[in-house]
């Protein structure tokens, strides 16, 4: 890594904080984590309680630094960072330009420990980057100075003159770029930061944080008329037709500007999106981006989190201005990276999703409060029945959501074998653990089943049915365009506490047996606005279609186009069932049921599970567990399937070669997923990424087309005849105007035909279901 960064090993003096190998090679054993861990041997050093090997090593380290007189120390890991600077947390502070606090002339740049790199190989690229940052300063050169300062506590005249002056500049300069960032508190705007840039360069001393909340004055920072004037000019500036607004995660800030100031900035670039498109697997937060892209970098993101009202507001306001300046510097580098990688079209599309996604967040969805109440009562009654059962069986109450109660019951009272989490090694009683206990102790299966049902009912009730509504009784959530590496959206509670993760909104199910658990269809709470009909658009067998086109298999393409039951056709190939005309395996054909009975439901199910698994490079041992067969039978299944479909094997090989040569995989739309980890064992993940990302982009392209066809009025697209309100995996849900249904549906179907640019272009058919009642009733 040193040589990759341009540093020779002979230039370096290597030493340690601790000169003694700790037990199990775990340095944390020399630090007391809590007060109860302290012994008479512990002494307090730099705010930590440590054992003598650390104290003695630190004294020797100070002597060594004085003798060697280094220009720069690279602190490898958290212990070294703490010893040199008193700062803790190397993953946050890595790459920061610091100084040694007991030798102030010595520069310190921290990075991850080589042992951490060996454990997590993807950290290697970050370590090399940090070493490259350090390399120019090893000859005594000073750090570059930061190129901005933030104006805090501005007078009204100062803030007003800055805003008016920027507005006049915007009149003169096309594509005038302004970085914008809000800090919020208790659902309100605490301050607004601005920095401004001409020809891609920041003007010195040109960042300002305009405060709106102030602990020193409960009435606010400004008089009411002053605040009104400043908000008006912020609005004029950020919606100016020649202004390009740049920011980090501006979907969040725009919720606030719309709710409190009634406008949306003219967003041109969200740095989180630019970084996401370039490096899909890397962290997206601004602190990480700055550590990679800013010339002068010192981690600062804790300044906003650790703000203390006793210190006054200046720390928060300075933090706000730094966010703006850092955001612009990242934006410039990211634009260069996008051009270098040839991803301009890809980035432009994902940036364009900002507007339809924001509209959906602003609009929200109407909720049937009566049905919501009925579901709540139904679920609470079912939970009450199980609580009574616990009392009857155990003789005392049990809260299955309480880990101490559960562990006492099963591991102390009943003395069952302790189940441990694979990740943490700690005792657990999650669903997998309960399943294992049920297999070992049949007598307690009814109790374990009741506990699992109670948990499921609780999730339905607390997470979905009782998800908080907004002040107008609509449900709104926050969508994150950069939420997943597959380019699917992620959703969560919105900025004001409304909503939930709608990506996993369940349809529920009706029990087939009286003793089984029934769960309500939560989607029935979601209803259309008056005069509208709910629609649900779903792509037909989307992932499978992409896999078939990646394999370029002519038979499977034909089967998909004809609507043939692929699982029956595959079962014929794998289990060598002859004499079945594939053209007759279309549901609705007179001979379909007869052929399906002949092939057998068991064979069809095995083909469905097995072919899907093998398509994503599942190996024989794992496949055997899925299919309930021997490893030898599973291997025959794999060999037969890949022999019948050689295109699948060619796709596997092509993807493996891309991983090996370029450490990345690319989909049909030209998006790339780079891997910084060891590529051994990554093939299944890389194979899955291609169809998942392709389908996500396809459904989002349909969404963007619908939004541009029916944009509506205002930031929420009010009055649009077609409105997308929800995106759930591979489907869109929303509402269309009932009176225009016959006109709108053909146009929606036309817009849903997105061509995926394979040599033989693929268009995934989209089905549309409707209901004038609710989302849960679409058919």
């Amino acid at each position: 890594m040193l040589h990759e960064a341009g540093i020779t090993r002979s230039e370096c003096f290597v030493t340690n904080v601790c000169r003694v190998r700790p037990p199990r090679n775990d340095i944390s054993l020399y630090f007391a984590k809590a007060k109860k861990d302290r012994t008479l041997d512990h002494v307090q050093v730099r705010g930590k309680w440590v054992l003598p090997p650390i104290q003695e090593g630190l004294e020797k380290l100070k002597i060594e630094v004085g003798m060697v007189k280094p220009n720069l120390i690279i602190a490898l890991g958290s212990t070294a960072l703490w010893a040199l600077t008193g700062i803790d947390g190397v993953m946050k502070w890595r790459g920061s330009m610091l100084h040694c606090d007991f030798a102030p002339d010595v520069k310190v740049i921290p990075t991850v420990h080589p042992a951490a790199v060996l454990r997590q190989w993807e950290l290697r690229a970050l370590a090399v980057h940090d070493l490259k940052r350090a390399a120019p300063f090893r000859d005594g050169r000073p750090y570059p100075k930061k190129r901005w300062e933030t104006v805090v506590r501005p007078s009204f005249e100062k803030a007003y003159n800055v805003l008016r002056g920027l507005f006049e500049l915007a009149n003169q300069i096309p594509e005038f770029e302004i970085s914008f960032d809000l800090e919020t508190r208790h659902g309100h705007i605490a301050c607004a930061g601005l920095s401004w840039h001409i020809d891609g360069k920041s003007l010195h001393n040109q960042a300002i944080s305009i405060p709106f909340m102030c602990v020193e004055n409960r009435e606010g920072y400004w008089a009411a008329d002053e605040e009104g004037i400043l908000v008006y000019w912020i609005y004029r500036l950020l919606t100016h037709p020649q202004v390009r607004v740049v920011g980090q995660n501006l979907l969040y800030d725009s919720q606030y500007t719309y709710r409190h100031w009634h406008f949306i900035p003219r967003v041109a670039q969200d740095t989180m999106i630019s970084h996401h498109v370039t490096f899909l697997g890397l962290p997206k937060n601004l602190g990480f981006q700055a550590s990679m892209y800013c010339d002068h970098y010192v981690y600062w993101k804790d300044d906003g989190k650790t703000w203390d009202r006793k210190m006054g507001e200046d720390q928060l306001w300075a933090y706000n201005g730094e966010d703006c300046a850092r955001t612009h510097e990242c934006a410039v580098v990211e634009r260069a990276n996008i051009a270098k990688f040839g991803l301009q079209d890809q980035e432009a599309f994902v940036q364009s999703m900002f507007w339809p996604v924001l509209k959906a967040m602003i609009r929200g969805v109407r909720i049937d409060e009566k049905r919501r109440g009925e579901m709540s009562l139904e679920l609470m009654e079912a939970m009450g029945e199980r609580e009574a059962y616990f009392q009857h069986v155990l003789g005392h109450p049990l809260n299955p959501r309480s880990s101490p109660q559960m562990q006492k019951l099963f591991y102390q009272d009943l003395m069952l074998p302790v189940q441990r989490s694979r990740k943490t090694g700690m005792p657990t009683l999650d669903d997998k653990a309960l399943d294992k206990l049920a297999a070992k102790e049949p007598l307690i299966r009814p109790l374990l089943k009741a506990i699992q049902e109670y948990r499921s009912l609780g999730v339905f009730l607390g997470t979905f049915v009782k998800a908080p509504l907004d002040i107008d009784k609509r449900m709104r959530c926050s969508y994150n365009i950069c939420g997943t590496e597959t380019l699917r959206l992620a959703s969560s509670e919105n900025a004001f506490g409304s909503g939930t993760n709608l990506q996993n909104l369940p349809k529920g199910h009706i029990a087939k047996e009286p003793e089984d658990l029934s769960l309500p269809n939560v989607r029935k709470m979601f209803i259309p606005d008056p005069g509208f009909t709910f629609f649900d658009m779903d792509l037909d067998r989307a992932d499978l279609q992409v896999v078939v086109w990646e394999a370029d298999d002519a038979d499977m393409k034909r089967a998909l186009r004809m609507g043939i039951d692929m699982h029956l056709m595959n079962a014929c190939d794998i289990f060598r069932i002859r004499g079945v005309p594939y053209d007759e395996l279309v549901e609705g054909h007179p001979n379909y049921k007869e052929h399906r009975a002949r092939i057998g439901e068991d064979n069809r199910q095995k083909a469905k599970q097995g072919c899907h698994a093998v398509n994503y490079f599942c190996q024989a041992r794992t496949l055997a567990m899925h299919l309930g067969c021997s490893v030898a039978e599973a291997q025959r299944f794999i060999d037969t399937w890949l022999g019948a479909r050689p295109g699948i094997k060619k796709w596997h090989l092509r993807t493996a070669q891309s991983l090996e040569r370029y450490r990345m995989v690319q989909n049909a739309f030209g998006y790339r997923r780079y891997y910084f980890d060891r590529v051994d064992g990554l093939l299944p993940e890389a194979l899955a990424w291609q169809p998942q990302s392709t389908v996500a982009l396809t459904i989002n392209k349909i969404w963007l087309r619908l939004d541009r066809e029916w944009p509506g009025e205002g930031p929420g697209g009010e009055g649009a005849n077609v409105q997308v309100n929800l995106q759930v995996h591979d489907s869109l849900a929303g509402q269309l105007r009932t009176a225009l249904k016959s006109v709108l549906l053909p146009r929606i179907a036309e817009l849903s035909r997105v061509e995926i640019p394979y040599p033989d272009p693929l268009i995934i058919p989209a089905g549309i279901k409707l209901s004038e009642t609710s989302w849960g009733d679409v058919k």
Side-chain angles (χ1 to χ4, degrees):
M1 292 191 294
L2 286 168
H3 281 262
E4 284 183 41
I7 302 171
T8 61
R9 177 63 179 80
S10 60
E11 295 178 83
C12 305
F13 177 86
V14 180
T15 188
N16 272 310
V17 177
C18 181
R19 315 306 169 102
V20 179
R21 182 178 292 277
R24 302 192 300 278
N25 205 31
D26 184 357
I27 193 71
S28 68
L29 296 176
Y30 285 158
F31 292 81
K33 297 177 183 177
K35 189 174 182 179
K36 63 181 177 64
D37 299 325
R38 295 179 201 165
T39 68
L40 294 176
D41 294 327
H42 282 85
V43 293
Q44 191 171 21
V45 179
R46 290 179 166 275
K48 292 181 180 288
W49 289 86
V50 304
L51 289 174
I54 298 295
Q55 181 189 26
E56 293 163 7
L58 187 55
E59 293 304 318
K60 291 178 181 178
L61 178 64
K62 292 178 179 178
I63 294 170
E64 281 182 334
V65 170
M67 293 173 65
V68 175
K69 294 183 172 55
N71 291 316
L72 170 76
I73 303 177
I74 298 170
L76 300 173
S78 291
T79 302
L81 173 62
W82 164 79
L84 294 165
T85 65
I87 294 170
D88 210 6
V90 75
M91 285 308 298
K92 290 191 296 186
W93 287 86
R94 45 152 289 277
S96 294
M97 297 173 170
L98 308 172
H99 286 86
C100 178
D101 58 2
F102 57 77
D105 293 336
V106 178
K107 297 182 285 293
V108 174
I109 293 183
T111 191
V112 294
H113 197 285
V117 172
L118 292 176
R119 291 192 300 268
Q120 294 178 260
W121 195 250
E122 67 270 19
L123 297 178
R124 188 180 189 281
L126 302 184
V128 171
H129 183 277
D130 297 337
L131 293 172
K132 286 181 177 179
R133 183 189 290 281
F137 307 110
R138 66 191 192 276
D139 60 0
R141 188 182 314 174
Y143 289 143
K145 293 182 179 179
K146 66 179 185 180
R147 292 177 288 180
W148 78 93
E149 290 180 10
T150 302
V151 175
V152 298
R153 292 189 180 273
S155 63
F156 173 75
E157 290 73 22
K158 175 68 175 179
Y160 175 77
N161 289 335
V162 166
L163 293 172
R164 283 300 303 266
L166 293 175
F167 187 81
E168 295 304 322
L169 278 174
N171 287 331
Q172 303 166 28
I173 304 171
E175 297 295 287
F176 182 42
E177 192 164 281
I178 292 179
S179 292
F180 173 62
D181 178 65
L182 293 179
E183 298 305 324
T184 61
R185 195 182 303 155
H186 307 306
H188 293 274
I189 296 170
C191 56
L194 301 167
S195 60
W196 45 99
H197 321 280
I198 299 175
D199 297 329
K201 296 180 181 178
S202 177
L203 302 178
H204 186 59
N205 285 340
Q206 301 299 297
I208 188 171
S209 179
I210 300 176
F212 291 95
M213 296 176 72
C214 183
V215 295
E216 298 153 25
N217 182 357
R218 291 194 175 195
E219 302 302 317
Y221 190 88
W222 311 105
D225 57 339
E226 293 176 334
E227 181 169 321
I229 292 169
L230 294 177
V231 170
Y232 171 74
W233 281 105
I234 291 173
Y235 151 70
R236 290 286 305 275
L237 177 64
L238 296 183
T239 58
H240 194 289
Q242 294 192 167
V243 166
R244 298 180 77 255
V245 176
V246 173
Q248 165 77 4
N249 192 16
L250 283 173
L251 279 173
Y252 178 86
D253 295 53
S254 295
Q255 292 175 78
Y256 276 89
T257 62
Y258 176 71
R259 176 161 295 200
H260 294 296
W261 292 344
H262 310 298
F263 76 91
I264 302 296
R266 189 171 179 266
V267 176
Q269 182 186 3
D270 191 313
T271 51
M272 187 164 72
I273 292 175
S274 297
H275 177 64
H276 181 60
V277 172
T278 315
F279 297 112
L280 284 164
L282 292 181
K284 308 298 183 298
N285 61 79
L286 183 59
F288 179 84
Q289 291 179 55
S291 77
M292 305 301 289
Y293 302 137
C294 292
D295 290 337
H296 173 276
Y297 172 68
V298 178
Y299 178 73
W300 80 104
K301 293 300 288 181
D302 281 348
D303 290 351
K305 295 177 185 176
T306 58
W307 172 78
D308 186 346
R309 60 188 294 123
K310 294 178 182 177
M311 297 171 61
E313 303 271 10
D314 294 60
Q315 175 184 318
L316 182 69
W317 296 333
Y319 167 87
N320 180 220
E322 184 159 357
D323 268 9
C324 292
R326 295 287 191 197
T327 297
H328 176 258
E329 195 171 350
C330 290
V332 172
V333 177
E334 286 163 0
R335 288 197 291 264
N337 285 343
I338 292 287
K340 180 180 178 180
F341 287 27
L343 294 171
Q344 294 95 325
D345 292 343
Q346 288 79 5
E347 193 244 4
F349 168 72
V350 183
Q351 292 282 1
S352 69
M353 285 302 299
F354 178 92
W355 299 102
V357 169
L358 181 61
K359 285 182 183 179
M361 289 165 57
I362 289 173
R363 271 198 303 264
V365 190
R366 188 176 172 220
I367 295 296
D368 184 340
E369 290 192 79
K370 181 181 177 183
R371 185 73 187 98
R372 183 172 181 251
E374 291 170 350
M375 285 185 187
S376 295
L377 184 60
E378 178 185 338
L379 291 167
M380 285 190 289
E381 286 177 349
M383 292 176 73
E385 291 171 3
R386 282 148 185 84
E387 288 171 354
Y389 173 76
F390 299 148
Q391 179 72 43
H392 174 72
V393 170
L394 300 171
H396 59 77
L398 173 68
N399 179 6
R401 290 172 291 191
S402 168
S403 180
Q405 284 190 37
M406 288 285 288
Q407 294 202 22
K408 180 179 183 299
L409 172 64
F410 288 101
Y411 297 151
Q412 294 180 32
D413 299 347
L414 299 179
M415 299 180 68
L416 294 175
V418 176
Q419 307 298 310
R420 296 187 179 275
S421 167
R422 283 190 175 184
K423 288 185 179 179
T424 65
M426 300 297 290
T428 181
L429 282 162
D430 59 14
D431 278 349
K432 286 185 179 179
L434 294 184
D435 288 339
K436 289 180 181 178
L437 291 176
K440 293 181 182 211
E441 298 290 343
L443 286 175
I444 62 168
R445 282 179 187 169
L447 174 61
L448 296 173
K449 180 185 176 187
I451 288 171
Q452 289 177 314
E453 289 177 346
Y454 185 89
R455 287 175 172 175
S456 296
L457 291 163
V459 168
F460 264 68
L461 179 65
T463 304
F464 301 116
V465 175
K466 284 195 170 181
L469 304 183
D470 215 328
I471 52 176
D472 58 357
K473 302 304 181 182
R474 295 176 77 86
M475 186 175 287
R476 294 181 175 86
C477 73
S478 283
Y479 282 111
N480 184 354
I481 293 173
C482 308
T484 70
E485 64 182 45
T486 61
L487 294 155
R488 286 180 166 131
L489 304 189
S491 63
S492 63
E493 179 183 278
N494 80 349
F496 308 103
S498 165
T500 184
N501 177 8
L502 298 179
Q503 296 294 302
N504 297 317
L505 201 68
K507 296 181 181 179
H509 65 267
I510 304 298
K512 295 180 180 179
E513 302 295 334
E515 66 273 12
D516 290 339
L517 177 67
S518 290
L519 290 168
N521 185 346
V522 178
R523 297 184 179 194
K524 290 192 176 186
M525 297 190 321
F526 293 75
I527 58 176
D529 289 315
F532 283 84
T533 295
F534 223 105
F535 73 84
D536 188 288
M537 177 189 290
D538 189 39
L539 296 176
D540 178 42
R541 296 176 288 182
D543 284 20
L544 174 61
Q545 301 224 28
V546 175
V547 169
V548 168
W549 258 255
E550 288 287 345
D552 196 23
D553 186 289
D555 289 341
M556 288 200 290
K557 286 182 179 180
R558 177 175 171 273
L560 283 169
R561 285 168 173 156
M562 291 182 62
I564 290 172
D565 186 325
M566 293 282 287
H567 307 312
L568 289 178
M569 186 180 85
N570 294 342
C572 290
D573 290 338
I574 291 165
F575 302 111
R576 305 187 188 284
I577 301 170
R578 308 302 182 193
V580 178
Y582 290 162
D583 292 1
E584 295 183 9
L585 295 180
V586 178
E587 198 167 353
H589 190 279
N591 299 330
Y592 172 78
K593 290 184 179 179
E594 179 186 339
H595 293 315
R596 182 163 179 165
R598 179 187 166 195
I599 294 165
E601 290 301 321
D602 187 53
N603 284 340
R604 183 182 184 276
Q605 187 62 25
K606 283 183 177 179
K608 179 179 180 180
Q609 280 186 279
C611 294
H612 175 82
V614 176
N615 287 347
Y616 295 112
F617 205 66
C618 179
Q619 298 301 290
R621 188 172 297 276
T622 306
L623 184 63
M625 290 190 289
H626 284 303
L627 299 183
C629 63
S630 69
V631 174
E633 289 173 323
Q635 188 59 57
R636 280 198 297 274
F637 185 106
I638 294 171
D639 294 340
T640 304
W641 175 240
L642 295 181
R645 302 287 175 240
I648 298 289
K649 194 168 186 176
K650 290 179 182 177
W651 172 46
H652 291 176
L653 180 61
R654 187 171 68 248
T655 304
Q657 289 173 340
S658 180
L659 280 175
E660 192 68 37
R661 293 175 183 175
Y662 309 113
R663 305 188 68 83
M664 69 93 171
V665 63
Q666 182 168 311
N667 67 20
F669 288 113
Y671 291 78
R672 300 169 196 155
R673 167 62 164 100
Y674 286 92
Y675 293 92
F676 297 96
D677 203 348
R678 294 182 177 93
V679 296
D680 301 340
L682 282 178
L683 183 55
E685 181 183 331
L687 289 169
W689 180 85
Q690 293 174 74
Q692 289 173 5
S693 61
T694 303
V695 172
L697 289 162
T698 301
I699 201 73
N700 285 342
K701 286 178 182 289
I702 296 172
W703 187 354
L704 186 62
R705 287 181 174 187
L706 296 178
D707 181 73
R708 288 178 172 173
E709 182 79 6
W710 295 286
E713 300 292 334
E718 291 81 5
N721 290 328
V722 176
Q723 303 170 10
V724 175
N725 294 332
L726 302 155
Q727 190 245 45
V728 181
H729 296 313
D730 303 337
S731 67
L732 297 175
Q735 56 187 20
L736 55 86
R737 200 170 294 279
T738 305
L740 300 175
K741 190 191 309 182
S742 60
V743 178
L744 297 174
L745 284 174
R747 182 59 179 154
I748 292 173
E750 183 182 344
L751 293 171
S752 70
R753 293 177 55 81
V754 171
E755 186 176 282
I756 302 174
Y758 288 102
D760 173 18
L762 167 63
I763 296 176
I764 303 175
I768 303 177
K769 299 175 183 178
L770 303 174
S771 170
E772 294 185 15
T773 308
S774 77
W775 184 20
D777 292 306
V778 294
K779 55 181 77 169

